[in-house]
Amino acid sequence: MTDDQEVAGLGARLREHRTAGRMTLEGAAARVGLSPAYLSRLETGRRQPSLPVLLGLARAYGTSVSGLLGEQPGEPDPVVRGGVIGPGRAGGWGYRRAGAPGRAMQALRVQVPPGVQDAVVRVHPGEEWLYVLRGRLRLTLGESVHHLDEGDSAHFDSLTPHCIAADTPDGVELLFLHTLLQSPGGDLCLGDAPRI
C-alpha cells in the first residue's frame, strides 16, 4: 500500500476537524506552530504532514491520529497486520497504525528519514514509549541527548521537553506509543518553532 493510499482524504478530514472546532486557519496553525499557508496545503492535499505535525493537529483538534487518518471507530480488532511504510511527501516521515483505535494510548510504527530533525521541542501531558526497530535514534529529553540503537527503548513523561531524529544515513524505524491525554496545555511547544 502506498503512502497516498494510506492517507487518502486526510486533507478533508483536517479541514472538517478544524471547522468543527470553530478554528480559523490562522488560529489552528498558530496552536500547532505552523504557518497558515502550510496548513492550507495540508488541507488541500498538496502536502502530507510529518508525524509530529500530525500529533500536534490531533491534539489541537481533540482527536487521535487514527481519527485524522480516517480509521473507523467501532469494535477494535485486537490484531493489526503489518505492512510497508511508504515515505511521506512532506519531510519523508512515514507512519502506520500499530494498535487499535479508540484506546487510551495510541500505537504507531514510525519511519523517520535521514537528515530530518523536528526542530520543534514538544511538551504535552501524557507518556510516550518508543522502541527502535531499525537504525539509530537521537532522542533529546530536556537538556540530555540519548542515542538509541536497535532493540533500545525509552519511556518518558511527555511534559519533559522532547525531540526525535534519525541518527543513521538510512533513517530509523521505531514503534511509538503515547497516551492521548487532552488538556488546554496539551499543544505547548518550546523554543522558536520554524514556520513550515
Side-chain angles (χ1 to χ4, degrees), residues 24-172:
T24 64
L25 195 62
E26 292 77 13
R31 286 189 72 181
V32 185
L34 305 173
S35 72
Y38 182 70
L39 183 54
S40 176
R41 287 192 294 274
L42 293 175
E43 289 186 359
T44 58
R46 293 191 313 248
R47 293 283 185 263
Q48 296 294 316
S50 68
L51 176 63
V53 168
L54 198 57
L55 287 169
L57 288 169
R59 288 186 187 105
Y61 298 157
T63 188
S64 66
V65 171
S66 294
L68 292 179
L69 292 175
E71 298 291 334
Q72 297 299 318
E75 189 58 37
D77 186 346
V79 176
V80 178
R81 302 291 176 198
V84 175
I85 300 175
R89 289 182 287 184
W93 286 70
Y95 38 89
R96 184 175 181 85
R97 184 173 62 88
R103 300 291 187 180
M105 71 177 157
Q106 188 164 28
L108 297 168
R109 217 171 96 209
V110 181
Q111 194 166 36
V112 182
V116 173
Q117 180 170 350
D118 180 16
V120 177
V121 177
R122 308 238 175 240
V123 178
H124 53 88
E127 292 182 49
E128 295 185 22
W129 177 87
L130 52 86
Y131 177 88
V132 179
L133 296 169
R134 180 188 54 80
R136 189 168 200 224
L137 178 75
R138 183 173 56 250
L139 171 66
T140 305
L141 293 173
E143 299 293 319
S144 301
V145 176
H146 306 272
H147 297 276
L148 286 77
D149 293 308
E150 292 178 17
D152 290 345
S153 64
H155 187 175
F156 55 93
D157 183 327
S158 13
L159 284 174
T160 302
H162 55 282
C163 178
I164 64 173
D167 200 31
T168 44
D170 57 344
V172 64

